[in-house]
Amino acid sequence: MKRNKILSLLLSVSMLTALTACGSQGSDAPAASTAAGSTAAATESAASSDNGYVLDKVTLVVDGTFNASVDAYQDKFIEQWDVAVSEALGHPISLNIQQLDHSSYVDGVGRLFASGDYPDVILLNASQYAEYAKTGLLWDMTDAYDNAKFQSHMVLPAVNQSVRIDGRQYGLSTGLGGGCITYVKQAWLDAVGMKAEDVTDWDSYYAMLKAFTEQDPDGNGKNDTYGVAAAGFIGSEAPYTNYLPQFWQNAYPNFTYDGNGVWYDGFNTQETKDALLRLQQAYADGVIDPESLTMGTKDVREKWWSSDQSGSFGAFTYWSGYWNDNLINNMDKNGVDSGLARLAPIAEMDGYLNRESPVYCIIDDGDGDDSREQAIFDAVFETMFDGGTVQTLWVYGAEGYHWSTEAETIVTGEGTDNAKTYEYKDGEFHLRLNPSDPSALWKKNAIDPSSMICSLENGFESASDLTKECNEFFSEHSVDAPHSASCDAITNYGGTITDAKNAVIADVVVKGGSVDAAMENYVKTTQNMVTEILEQLNAK
């Protein structure tokens, strides 16, 4: 395996970003009962190779999107996984989870790889995956995936076809990538006399932002609100524009390709210049929160639903699906009017971007023998989609802690004005309380139940009507994001190019400088690197 490529990769790791927005979710719980479902689908797939290789331990590295964190019964997940998988494989096996900090996951992965302390399985976002696949670190699982037993109940086969690189598969995606839509506070629309359905193009969208900024929509008598805020003016992970889509419109400020499959630098285009000028105007007009330059997703969320709406904002582009529920629940908890409208894409956009899915990858030990890697695939991925016990663990977490089928009464927000009581009968599947937030129920663990690639055959269903409705809205109004670019030159120069892009954004958006001058400087700084990248991309 070509480990010598790792150093150059780590030098450019700053171009990569952590996985999509997340939040730990959990539940208070009694002792676990017998796990539901069956591991029959995985029983024949013992984690041992034909030459007798036996796997007794798996080390897994994840970020915050694995919601069963240390503080949310991760120990119970591991305990139940160990028992179920050992039973399925016919010999003892244990799981060790290393959960790195979500906000610095990319740097954490880089340090982990630099140390040479490789895990067995690691979760990577689309950009990380495209880069690390070129190093030889990731095992080619194409044959294992094509012949996997879980193919018998596959419901979304196209998902993993789309993550293949040059026809080969180095990672497994558990479900659809998903994407962001724009939510708007209905109370603020009412306060300024506007309707979501009337926001149809850039002019009407910007008029809404100005009204939210200038017309005191929170009613506190002060000029202290913003039209919109985001975690960065540009994203550093694909699809790059998803938090401010109305500003970027159809610009794609990264390497992308035209209708003939020819790659080009999407940052150095007129579409990107136009987007930067829109951001410049919004910054100068004060309709975009200036802290968007440095805020993370958690910062933005907490401003959105803060009990003190001074300094808050009215339009928020964030993840679809169950995040619709999360936004409403957190607004309710903080006494904020939780009425939300969803904006359809404005006329200047093709649609919201459906991102490439994050993937779980197996680290190749480089010995030329696939027996260890195949055993890991069988232990982790074959059981992950067994349709029963182990898949339920990945989707919902530990029985008796994250979910249950026993008769019980659950009260969310007990002792508050927003308390809500749920009654469940014996045998009725239900989610339990979130241990970090007793005002809400647990949502999911590491696999989204509303978009997983294989069916869960025990009938457990948790997606709310609101989540389903929001997913349908996104599906109706989304288009697929371009595939991530990947080549050796991107590995070598990606970090430098990202720094040059950020310099352009600072000069144009924050300082109000000339977009043409800033772009000329970008070209001077990156021209040789960009040329080499495009030569490699277009040579494939």
Side-chain angles (χ1 to χ4, degrees):
M1 184 167 55
K2 300 178 181 178
R3 304 270 187 191
N4 60 321
K5 291 186 179 181
I6 297 301
L7 179 59
S8 62
L9 175 63
L10 296 176
L11 292 175
S12 66
V13 77
S14 60
M15 73 176 285
L16 305 174
T17 63
L19 294 164
T20 103
C22 74
S24 292
Q25 301 168 26
S27 66
D28 287 324
S33 60
T34 303
S38 156
T39 56
T43 301
E44 297 178 18
S45 185
S48 60
S49 67
D50 292 338
N51 64 7
Y53 185 93
V54 177
L55 184 73
D56 59 5
K57 180 180 179 181
V58 172
T59 299
L60 168 70
V61 171
V62 293
D63 78 335
T65 58
F66 189 94
N67 289 319
S69 64
V70 171
D71 296 328
Y73 301 118
Q74 187 173 104
D75 58 334
K76 300 304 179 184
F77 171 90
I78 292 172
E79 178 182 301
Q80 294 183 21
W81 188 95
D82 288 354
V83 170
V85 175
S86 295
E87 177 183 330
L89 302 179
H91 63 80
I93 187 168
S94 62
L95 179 66
N96 173 41
I97 296 177
Q98 297 178 17
Q99 187 159 16
L100 306 185
D101 181 71
H102 182 74
S103 61
S104 59
Y105 187 68
V106 169
D107 290 339
V109 170
R111 288 191 297 271
L112 185 70
F113 284 171
S115 72
D117 185 18
Y118 303 109
D120 296 306
V121 181
I122 190 165
L123 181 64
L124 300 175
N125 69 27
S127 298
Q128 289 173 300
Y129 170 62
E131 295 307 311
Y132 283 118
K134 297 298 182 182
T135 68
L137 266 178
L138 309 183
W139 183 55
D140 183 344
M141 64 173 68
T142 311
D143 293 340
Y145 174 83
D146 288 344
N147 293 291
K149 296 184 184 301
F150 58 67
Q151 294 283 353
S152 65
H153 56 281
M154 178 75 67
V155 292
L156 294 174
V159 169
N160 278 287
Q161 290 296 324
S162 69
V163 306
R164 295 194 170 189
I165 298 174
D166 298 332
R168 307 304 294 176
Q169 187 163 342
Y170 302 93
L172 184 142
S173 176
T174 63
L176 293 173
C180 296
I181 64 173
T182 300
Y183 303 94
V184 182
K185 290 172 178 170
Q186 184 61 52
W188 286 30
L189 285 169
D190 294 341
V192 300
M194 291 185 169
K195 297 180 179 179
E197 56 266 32
D198 294 333
V199 180
T200 58
D201 56 14
W202 169 253
D203 289 341
S204 54
Y205 172 77
Y206 199 73
M208 179 189 71
L209 299 188
K210 291 202 73 175
F212 287 164
T213 304
E214 299 170 354
Q215 297 182 27
D216 188 26
D218 64 339
N220 69 352
K222 299 178 181 179
N223 183 22
D224 57 6
T225 55
Y226 298 101
V228 66
F233 295 124
I234 183 175
S236 50
E237 76 163 318
Y240 306 103
T241 65
N242 56 334
Y243 291 143
L244 288 168
Q246 291 83 5
F247 286 85
W248 287 100
Q249 297 176 13
N250 289 333
Y252 196 79
N254 199 60
F255 294 102
T256 188
Y257 44 87
D258 62 21
N260 296 316
V262 177
W263 290 86
Y264 63 94
D265 181 4
F267 190 81
N268 183 22
T269 61
Q270 186 60 48
E271 289 81 4
T272 291
K273 287 183 178 181
D274 292 342
L276 293 173
L277 290 174
R278 285 188 287 269
L279 287 165
Q280 182 187 68
Q281 177 188 6
Y283 193 93
D285 290 347
V287 304
I288 188 168
D289 187 338
E291 292 186 3
S292 295
L293 180 67
T294 58
M295 281 195 295
T297 53
K298 181 180 179 182
D299 304 313
V300 184
R301 293 196 305 265
E302 290 183 348
K303 270 198 173 187
W304 168 264
W305 61 52
S306 172
S307 57
D308 180 6
Q309 287 286 283
S310 61
S312 192
F313 51 100
F316 185 22
T317 302
Y318 210 58
W319 301 99
S320 59
Y322 79 94
W323 269 104
N324 199 155
D325 301 69
N326 285 356
L327 295 179
I328 287 175
N329 290 340
N330 280 282
M331 293 170 78
D332 280 338
K333 181 177 67 175
N334 290 324
V336 178
D337 190 313
S338 61
L340 294 182
R342 305 185 195 104
L343 287 190
I346 60 175
E348 293 83 354
M349 296 165 55
D350 286 341
Y352 294 117
L353 293 181
N354 179 42
R355 66 170 184 158
E356 293 178 285
S357 304
V359 292
Y360 285 91
C361 304
I362 295 173
I363 301 300
D364 192 326
D365 61 13
D367 65 359
D369 181 354
D370 290 342
S371 58
R372 167 189 163 273
E373 289 81 7
Q374 181 66 55
I376 294 169
F377 184 94
D378 293 343
V380 178
F381 297 135
E382 284 283 27
T383 64
M384 180 186 285
F385 293 111
D386 67 355
T389 303
V390 185
Q391 186 169 343
T392 301
L393 280 166
W394 285 94
V395 176
Y396 294 120
E399 183 186 7
Y401 295 86
H402 301 113
W403 62 272
S404 179
T405 59
E406 295 183 357
E408 64 178 324
T409 300
I410 294 178
V411 180
T412 57
E414 189 168 11
T416 71
D417 293 339
N418 296 316
K420 187 173 181 180
T421 300
Y422 299 85
E423 296 282 354
Y424 299 104
K425 299 176 182 178
D426 187 46
E428 182 179 4
F429 170 79
H430 59 274
L431 297 169
R432 308 198 77 252
L433 281 177
N434 185 328
S436 61
D437 181 8
S439 68
L441 296 175
W442 174 266
K443 295 291 184 183
K444 66 182 180 69
N445 183 21
I447 297 178
D448 187 340
S450 65
S451 64
M452 51 193 167
I453 60 170
C454 291
S455 60
L456 187 59
E457 298 179 346
N458 54 16
F460 292 173
E461 170 64 63
S462 70
S464 70
D465 290 341
L466 184 62
T467 291
K468 295 176 183 177
E469 178 185 313
C470 189
N471 280 333
E472 290 173 2
F473 179 89
F474 175 74
S475 178
E476 178 183 353
H477 295 294
S478 67
V479 295
D480 287 339
H483 294 302
S484 293
S486 175
C487 64
D488 288 343
I490 288 178
T491 297
N492 294 330
Y493 307 132
T496 303
I497 292 173
T498 296
D499 290 343
K501 291 178 184 179
N502 288 332
V504 171
I505 290 169
D507 287 344
V508 176
V509 178
V510 179
K511 298 178 183 178
S514 165
V515 69
D516 290 327
M519 197 63 76
E520 286 176 11
N521 188 56
Y522 168 80
V523 172
K524 290 178 183 178
T525 303
T526 66
Q527 187 171 25
N528 292 337
M529 294 178 282
V530 168
T531 298
E532 184 176 343
I533 288 170
L534 294 178
E535 286 176 350
Q536 291 185 13
L537 290 174
N538 287 313
K540 294 182 178 181

